[in-house]
Amino acid sequence: METEDAERGARPQRRHSKAGLRLRNYFLTGIVVAAPIGITFYLTWAFVAWVDGWVKPLIPHAYNPDNYLPFSVPGFGLIVAIFLLTMLGFLTANLVGRTIVAYGELLLDRMPLVRNLYRALKQIFETALSQSSRSFQQVGLIEYPRRGLWALVFIATDTKGEIAERLKESDTDTMAVFLPTTPNPTSGFLLIVPRQDVILLDMTVEEGAKLVISAGLVAPEYHRKTKALAREAKEAADDEREAAE
């Protein structure tokens, strides 16, 4: 009898524990679904508000809808900023615009501290936004910081300039790679490594960045045949584009 009573008492406890575990899983699932959406919405809204705060005060009174509408129009400043930047790029592409930019850069070159900052920022933005740039188009693995430990790297480019000339004496084919830090992939180390020590991966740069940010928790799916076909198609497209150029 005592054994039966104990079993009867244990059954409700098991039911309560299962119900609590189920509720806990539901709660965590809700967080997984809601958190990315909420954070994405918040960051997008904050960026739009930040751009509006900079641009809207510069818009003439007659063209600012906030001055004659009973409510504020979010994103209007962002639209104006995109339009102005597009027009600036259009004007800079012609002869007159290039001449003005050349005179502006000549003026900046005469400023000791400003010219160094301007050159560095210009080179960074040209490299990041250039359509013809192939920087950071591949992900690889290298043994770092010692043999037996592997680190994820972004392939930058072949070694160039003085470094390439100096390393030619050792008959070593090298390449520049960027070793990102976790969880912030925008900071890291520039490494010059032998090409033979780099294992190229099929994952994209975006997938590699997710892997770094999540500290290895978010691993991209790997479909070998699909990735191989996609890589071959990309290489064929690149060859056709180079031939056309």
Side-chain angles (χ1 to χ4, degrees):
M1 294 294 293
E2 294 180 357
T3 305
E4 293 179 357
D5 294 339
E7 291 180 353
R8 292 175 183 174
R11 288 175 185 175
Q13 293 179 358
R14 293 176 183 174
R15 293 175 183 173
H16 289 309
S17 62
K18 290 182 179 179
L21 181 61
R22 191 176 291 112
L23 290 176
R24 174 179 173 274
N25 292 336
Y26 290 158
F27 175 73
L28 295 178
T29 302
I31 292 179
V32 171
V33 173
I37 297 175
I39 294 174
T40 301
F41 178 79
Y42 172 78
L43 293 178
T44 303
W45 185 266
F47 176 75
V48 172
W50 178 73
V51 176
D52 285 349
W54 277 91
V55 177
K56 280 188 176 181
L58 305 177
I59 301 175
H61 185 275
Y63 298 101
N64 192 345
D66 292 350
N67 296 324
Y68 50 83
L69 291 178
F71 55 88
S72 177
V73 181
F76 183 75
L78 179 62
I79 296 175
V80 173
I82 294 174
F83 174 77
L84 293 178
L85 290 174
T86 304
M87 291 301 299
L88 178 62
F90 171 75
L91 296 175
T92 307
N94 57 41
L95 180 61
V96 177
R98 287 197 297 268
T99 303
I100 295 175
V101 172
Y103 278 114
E105 291 182 344
L106 182 63
L107 179 62
L108 290 174
D109 284 338
R110 297 180 178 179
M111 301 180 182
L113 297 178
V114 176
R115 64 186 179 190
N116 296 331
L117 177 62
Y118 172 75
R119 289 174 182 173
L121 291 175
K122 182 181 179 182
Q123 185 175 7
I124 291 173
F125 277 95
E126 285 181 346
T127 303
L129 301 178
S130 176
Q131 296 179 356
S132 60
S133 176
R134 294 189 178 184
S135 299
F136 295 91
Q137 292 298 319
Q138 284 184 295
V139 183
L141 286 175
I142 63 170
E143 287 188 286
Y144 182 90
R146 64 171 176 82
R147 294 289 181 182
L149 297 182
W150 295 90
L152 196 75
V153 295
F154 298 133
I155 309 302
T157 182
D158 295 334
T159 308
K160 299 178 181 179
E162 181 183 358
I163 298 177
E165 292 296 327
R166 296 287 185 178
L167 293 178
K168 278 184 179 180
E169 301 175 358
S170 60
D171 295 330
T172 302
D173 186 15
T174 59
M175 61 193 315
V177 301
F178 177 73
L179 175 65
T181 57
T182 301
N184 180 18
T186 59
S187 64
F189 306 95
L190 172 65
L191 303 176
I192 308 298
V193 298
R195 186 182 299 273
Q196 62 186 13
D197 293 343
V198 181
I199 299 177
L200 298 180
L201 302 178
D202 292 327
M203 70 175 65
T204 63
V205 176
E206 291 77 12
E207 292 173 339
K210 291 179 183 178
L211 186 63
V212 173
I213 294 172
S214 65
L217 297 178
V218 181
E221 296 182 1
Y222 179 58
H223 303 287
R224 187 170 184 175
K225 294 182 178 179
T226 305
K227 294 288 187 179
L229 292 174
R231 184 173 64 252
E232 292 176 359
K234 182 179 181 300
E235 291 176 354
D238 292 341
D239 293 340
E240 292 179 359
R241 185 172 63 251
E242 290 179 356
E245 292 176 354

